[in-house]
Amino acid sequence: MLKDFLKKNIQSQASFVEWGYGQVEPNHLSAQRTSQVYAQLPADPDIDVLEQGQFVKYDYANGLVNFTGPGEWMLVYNEIKLYREHQDDCEFAMIKDNYQARIYSPFGGDKYDANGQKLTNSDPYTYDTNFNKQSRYYNGEDDQGNTSITVNGETFPYDDVTAAPDMYELHYNEDPYHIESQARPQFMPAGTTMVPRVLKTNIGDIFTTNTINETTVTLGQSLYVGDDGILCGTKGTNSGDMVWQVVKIYTMPDHQKGVKVMRIA
């Protein structure tokens, strides 16, 4: 059976899960209406797996999603991406090895010269003449009449991307250099590969989950966020003031045991 296969090949971090990874079934999550959805920070390099229903800190000052930052715990609720028709939702988790994001932003990166040396000029609008020099000319030649440039033994032709004069706008391409952006891409922080989607929760929010670090739970029991971001029955030093109450002993859509929880604090 599929569940036996998953038990052998997937080990959830949450002890309540019977097979596969933890899941979330949204019932009443206010972020779906308030748009308090955050998905711009990469997961800390030390995080190898983020399961649905875990909680993380959105540590904006340090540019990371982690378990130690300040502020409120945020609910991990990623889009499920499985590419085989027979797969169940419980087979999905955000796994570091499955992602290889390299570019974080097309802007904000460092500039380098033709020899690969980082430029120390802090003015983003100052264009270094040694950087990618073949792109400084767009009419097929430079101001000395040369049609190519050699950098580190490799020859690059100058591009001619200007158009013939337009009879209605005779001077529109006299300064074509503006098409070369001064921006440089900003790379992902070292060791990071994935960017999770997390939701802010509010008092009264309800969802069904099995991402709980307890083997059994009882109706009315209070749950707190553990140091690993997983709900548990014992309040820890990093749990904060957030409290979830078990409001229904339930099942997950795949018939695993699950619970419906409601945020009460």
Side-chain angles (χ1 to χ4, degrees):
M1 296 179 65
L2 178 60
K3 67 178 182 181
D4 295 323
F5 173 77
L6 296 180
K7 286 179 181 179
K8 293 179 180 179
N9 291 278
I10 293 177
Q11 181 63 54
S12 173
Q13 303 165 92
S15 56
F16 198 74
V17 175
E18 296 180 85
W19 62 84
Y21 294 110
Q23 302 175 64
V24 165
E25 182 184 11
N27 300 116
H28 187 108
L29 291 176
S30 55
Q32 295 177 316
R33 298 293 181 269
T34 64
S35 297
Q36 291 174 295
V37 179
Y38 303 84
Q40 292 180 302
L41 299 183
D44 187 282
D46 292 334
I47 297 178
D48 294 323
V49 179
L50 278 178
E51 300 182 43
Q52 306 280 61
Q54 271 189 274
F55 287 82
V56 293
K57 297 295 187 73
Y58 202 70
D59 191 354
Y60 210 101
N62 289 308
L64 293 172
V65 165
N66 55 38
F67 299 129
T68 57
E72 186 176 297
W73 288 102
M74 302 281 192
L75 175 66
V76 175
Y77 185 42
N78 289 299
E79 180 183 358
I80 296 174
K81 294 185 177 181
L82 297 170
Y83 301 102
R84 297 178 178 88
E85 291 185 1
H86 63 80
Q87 288 186 285
D88 288 342
D89 287 355
C90 68
E91 296 182 55
F92 174 81
M94 182 167 268
I95 303 171
K96 183 178 179 180
D97 282 348
N98 291 347
Y99 295 82
Q100 194 56 59
R102 295 179 177 88
I103 303 298
Y104 178 73
S105 169
F107 309 102
D110 295 309
K111 292 191 295 184
Y112 295 82
D113 65 19
N115 296 314
Q117 299 299 310
K118 185 183 293 187
L119 302 177
T120 58
N121 191 341
S122 60
D123 180 3
Y125 298 102
T126 299
Y127 192 71
D128 184 81
T129 57
N130 290 322
F131 183 87
N132 201 19
K133 191 172 182 180
Q134 70 275 13
S135 297
R136 290 176 55 79
Y137 304 98
Y138 297 92
N139 60 352
E141 61 182 35
D142 61 18
D143 50 7
Q144 304 297 320
N146 301 310
T147 58
S148 64
I149 184 174
T150 300
V151 179
N152 294 334
E154 188 174 358
T155 299
F156 300 92
Y158 291 131
D159 295 328
D160 183 0
V161 297
T162 58
D166 188 290
M167 62 183 177
Y168 295 107
E169 298 180 58
L170 298 178
H171 306 290
Y172 84 101
N173 67 348
E174 285 187 351
D175 183 21
Y177 301 98
H178 68 278
I179 72 172
E180 170 67 15
S181 172
Q182 305 301 316
R184 296 291 174 263
Q186 180 181 352
F187 293 94
M188 293 279 286
T192 65
T193 65
M194 56 187 185
V195 180
R197 180 178 70 182
V198 300
L199 278 61
K200 186 206 180 304
T201 61
N202 294 291
I203 293 176
D205 277 8
I206 303 170
F207 67 95
T208 301
T209 188
N210 59 349
T211 311
I212 300 171
N213 245 343
E214 301 289 343
T215 55
T216 59
V217 295
T218 58
L219 186 65
Q221 180 179 353
S222 293
L223 299 175
Y224 312 91
V225 182
D227 290 342
D228 55 2
I230 299 177
L231 291 174
C232 60
T234 304
K235 187 172 184 178
T237 56
N238 200 32
S239 296
D241 298 326
M242 180 181 289
V243 182
W244 294 83
Q245 184 185 46
V246 177
V247 295
K248 187 173 183 178
I249 305 297
Y250 212 38
T251 59
M252 302 308 298
D254 59 2
H255 304 296
Q256 292 188 64
K257 62 183 182 180
V259 296
K260 186 174 287 188
V261 295
M262 175 177 176
R263 183 173 172 183
I264 60 173

